[in-house]
Amino acid sequence: MPVFQENLFAGKVAFFTGGTSGIGQATVRKFVDEGDDVMIAARREEKGRSIAASLDGHADFIRTDVRHEDQIARAVEATVHCFGRIDCLFNNAGEVKGDGPVDAVTPAAYTLLSETLLASVVYGTQHAAHVMRA
């Protein structure tokens, strides 16, 4: 029977894209509860700062538009400056605009959705992996 190792990530540093609502916010809180330090890279500054402040020094926030590589690079650098390293990347940023039938999706909404979902993963992975390899 496999043995479950509790607190597998305890004492690690996690870099989150997104993290100010929904699954991301819940996961940020879970990581901190498990003993991790977390950097939240997201657009919603007031919400991000509030979440980080509520986590007793185990989280920080940097305003980041994850569609822009330079902002992801800056957020990764800030994580290393604040916590000394990155052990875990959690690509969580997402964007959903509007509701209704698919034929109502505008080109602008589609572009925002695809850029947010894809750019955050590609740029986040590129920059965090560079730090994590070291």
Side-chain angles (χ1 to χ4, degrees), residues 10-67:
K12 303 294 184 182
V13 174
F15 174 74
F16 274 73
T17 62
T20 57
S21 65
I23 292 169
Q25 182 180 351
T27 308
V28 162
R29 292 184 183 285
K30 180 66 173 169
F31 271 54
V32 171
D33 286 348
E34 294 290 325
D36 300 321
D37 291 320
V38 175
M39 177 64 79
I40 305 165
R43 290 180 302 171
R44 295 175 9 183
E45 188 162 3
E46 187 175 326
K47 182 73 170 171
R49 293 205 182 283
S50 174
I51 293 166
S54 74
L55 296 172
D56 300 324
H58 291 284
D60 202 352
F61 171 83
I62 183 165
R63 188 183 187 299
T64 308
D65 185 334
V66 298
R67 296 173 297 159

Side-chain angles (χ1 to χ4, degrees), residues 2-134:
V3 175
F4 178 73
Q5 183 177 353
E6 286 192 46
N7 298 326
L8 181 62
F9 292 107
K12 303 294 184 182
V13 174
F15 174 74
F16 274 73
T17 62
T20 57
S21 65
I23 292 169
Q25 182 180 351
T27 308
V28 162
R29 292 184 183 285
K30 180 66 173 169
F31 271 54
V32 171
D33 286 348
E34 294 290 325
D36 300 321
D37 291 320
V38 175
M39 177 64 79
I40 305 165
R43 290 180 302 171
R44 295 175 9 183
E45 188 162 3
E46 187 175 326
K47 182 73 170 171
R49 293 205 182 283
S50 174
I51 293 166
S54 74
L55 296 172
D56 300 324
H58 291 284
D60 202 352
F61 171 83
I62 183 165
R63 188 183 187 299
T64 308
D65 185 334
V66 298
R67 296 173 297 159
H68 301 285
E69 182 181 10
D70 63 323
Q71 292 190 35
I72 291 276
R74 182 178 53 85
V76 166
E77 289 173 11
T79 306
V80 173
H81 179 76
C82 185
F83 298 113
R85 65 185 195 281
I86 297 174
D87 301 302
C88 177
L89 167 64
F90 196 96
N91 281 312
N92 182 72
E95 183 75 40
V96 177
K97 291 289 183 191
D99 56 3
V102 71
D103 62 349
V105 175
T106 66
Y110 173 77
T111 298
L112 179 63
L113 170 68
S114 62
E115 285 180 354
T116 301
L117 293 174
L118 296 175
S120 65
V121 171
V122 171
Y123 299 147
T125 301
Q126 285 177 337
H127 289 278
H130 178 73
V131 170
M132 292 167 76
R133 274 191 217 110

